Amino acid sequence: MAWRSCAVLLRLTGKDVLRSSVRAGRWPHSLQQRCGFRKATRKPESRRGEEELGPLHTESPAPLTPSSSPRSFGRLVRPLVFTMGFTGCSFGSAAIWQYESLKSRVQTYFDEIRADWLEKLRPQKRGDVRKEINQWWYSLSEGQRTVTGIIAANALVFCCWRIPSLQRSMIKYFTANPASKTLCAPMLLSTFSHFSFFHMAANMYVLWSFSSSAVSMLGREQFVAVYLSAGVVSTFVSYVCKVATGRLGPSLGASGAIMAVLAAVCTKMPEAKLAIIFLPMYTFTAANALKAIMAVDSAGVLLGWRFFDHAAHLGGSMFGMWYILFGHELIWKNREPFVKLWHELRTRGGPGGPGGGVV
């Protein structure tokens, strides 16, 4: 059962952090998860060391003015605007996606009937790989099929981290750091970024486990909008906490978005039973699990724990709770005017437009 496989991994969804306290300019062999980032005080001992260390220092500009100081809250204006704009675009795109899906459902139904008819006429091939893959794909739940693309994107980015020539760009665009010159794009891209395989595997396992419940509750379009928006919102909360405390540094991982999904499911189904994967005999309610997780993350923020990015976890959890309690009513249920506008733009001048037939 999906619920029974996740609890032990909830604390493993922290975001990795890159540290520059490396020796001779080499990449660290192990990375802490969302802790502070401090530059090495030792100078490179060779030209080769300087070239290898370079990617970790690409965000070290000339002396900053007071208005552009890394600890200035003025630097968070653009991330705030980006967060609001991206969230609006995510839900708008999800509404259009749902409209187009409903519009094509009838056509898809007839296509499937025609395909089944042709399949019966066509001689069957034993060991048809394509048929076996299709059978496996359709045996998955809608939620599992929905998150397959997200998992594939995370795996692709993980592979990119292994390519030395891409590391400079990966640090710039796939790690979120309020002290960086690039602030907005990493808020989204870092949600798909993992440097450690175990970190990625833990995050994707939790996402896979909760996907069926979350998608059946929200629908695939709304789920994707919530997931992407939560990733950006949680990163913004992390930005605010880092600037307020002065503990600046890059971080990455899908934990904020996954915590939003987990919190949404636990808020919607508070009496559902959860269990620790290695201790299935001990069960507890989803509501109690969420309270415990948020209590730990709140303590981490207040006490300055630096192994996980507790601010991002807490931001994702709060966004998931808010969306179930208020956001669904405020955003998703008020999408009708936007969908009508899209319908008018979609059909204007086409078969359903002036002088055409009815779609």
Side-chain angles (χ1 to χ4, degrees), residues 21-35:
S21 55
V22 294
R23 297 181 178 180
R26 296 181 179 178
W27 282 91
H29 294 289
S30 60
L31 298 175
Q32 290 183 317
Q33 296 190 9
R34 196 83 185 205
C35 66

Side-chain angles (χ1 to χ4, degrees), residues 340-357:
K340 285 184 176 180
L341 176 61
W342 172 255
H343 175 74
E344 293 175 359
L345 295 174
R346 179 80 161 73
T347 58
R348 184 176 300 169

Side-chain angles (χ1 to χ4, degrees), residues 3 213-214 216-218 222 260-272 286-287 290 320-321 323-325 328-329 333:
W3 297 103
S213 300
S216 64
M217 180 178 69
L218 299 173
Q222 190 179 184
V261 173
L262 187 150
V265 174
C266 292
T267 302
K268 188 69 173 180
M269 307 173 184
E271 298 302 322
L290 181 60
M321 292 180 58
Y323 187 80
I324 293 300
L325 297 175
H328 179 75
E329 295 285 338
K333 288 194 174 181

Side-chain angles (χ1 to χ4, degrees), residues 161-178:
W161 273 108
R162 317 263 77 81
I163 302 176
S165 60
L166 295 179
Q167 288 177 355
R168 184 184 298 269
S169 297
M170 298 300 293
I171 292 173
K172 182 176 181 180
Y173 294 107
F174 287 86
T175 63
N177 184 0

Side-chain angles (χ1 to χ4, degrees), residues 105-350:
R105 182 169 297 175
V106 175
Q107 183 63 41
T108 302
Y109 173 76
F110 286 111
D111 290 343
E112 290 177 352
I113 293 178
R114 181 169 177 264
D116 291 340
W117 180 71
L118 292 175
E119 187 70 19
K120 292 178 181 180
L121 296 179
R122 187 180 306 160
Q124 298 293 324
K125 296 181 180 180
R126 299 187 62 181
D128 190 346
V129 177
R130 181 178 178 183
K131 183 178 180 180
E132 293 178 359
I133 293 176
N134 288 336
Q135 290 178 347
W136 169 81
W137 177 255
Y138 288 108
S139 68
L140 301 176
S141 67
E142 185 179 11
Q144 291 171 336
R145 292 197 300 267
T146 301
V147 301
T148 298
I150 297 175
I151 295 174
N154 280 268
L156 177 62
V157 175
F158 173 78
C159 293
C160 290
W161 273 108
R162 317 263 77 81
I163 302 176
S165 60
L166 295 179
Q167 288 177 355
R168 184 184 298 269
S169 297
M170 298 300 293
I171 292 173
K172 182 176 181 180
Y173 294 107
F174 287 86
T175 63
N177 184 0
S180 171
K181 292 186 293 184
T182 307
L183 292 174
C184 296
M187 297 177 72
L188 173 63
L189 298 179
S190 64
T191 304
F192 297 88
S193 180
H194 299 83
F195 190 84
S196 165
F197 176 78
F198 181 75
H199 181 210
M200 182 188 70
N203 276 342
M204 296 302 101
Y205 181 78
V206 174
L207 178 62
W208 179 269
S209 300
F210 277 87
S211 61
S212 298
S213 300
V215 172
S216 64
M217 180 178 69
L218 299 173
R220 60 176 181 174
E221 299 88 1
Q222 190 179 184
F223 168 81
V224 173
V226 170
Y227 182 86
L228 296 178
S229 299
V232 174
V233 170
S234 63
T235 304
F236 179 76
V237 174
S238 175
Y239 276 5
V240 173
C241 183
K242 286 180 177 180
V243 171
T245 60
R247 294 190 289 267
L248 306 177
S251 55
L252 67 168
S255 57
I258 294 174
M259 288 301 298
V261 173
L262 187 150
V265 174
C266 292
T267 302
K268 188 69 173 180
M269 307 173 184
E271 298 302 322
K273 294 296 183 179
L274 302 180
I276 300 176
I277 185 173
F278 298 117
L279 299 172
M281 68 291 297
Y282 299 106
T283 61
F284 40 86
T285 64
N288 289 336
L290 181 60
K291 291 176 183 177
I293 292 170
M294 295 187 68
V296 171
D297 287 326
S298 298
V301 171
L302 295 176
L303 300 178
W305 297 345
R306 304 181 68 178
F307 187 72
F308 296 110
D309 189 342
H310 295 281
H313 288 191
L314 194 59
S317 300
M318 293 177 65
F319 179 81
M321 292 180 58
W322 172 85
Y323 187 80
I324 293 300
L325 297 175
F326 308 104
H328 179 75
E329 295 285 338
L330 294 174
I331 300 175
W332 194 249
K333 288 194 174 181
N334 291 320
R335 70 189 186 281
E336 184 177 354
F338 178 78
V339 173
K340 285 184 176 180
L341 176 61
W342 172 255
H343 175 74
E344 293 175 359
L345 295 174
R346 179 80 161 73
T347 58
R348 184 176 300 169

Side-chain angles (χ1 to χ4, degrees), residues 78-108:
R78 283 192 299 123
L80 175 61
V81 174
F82 176 80
T83 301
M84 298 173 62
F86 181 83
T87 300
C89 291
S90 295
F91 284 97
S93 300
I96 294 174
W97 180 14
Q98 186 185 63
Y99 167 86
E100 295 294 340
S101 298
L102 293 174
K103 198 171 185 297
S104 62
R105 182 169 297 175
V106 175
Q107 183 63 41
T108 302

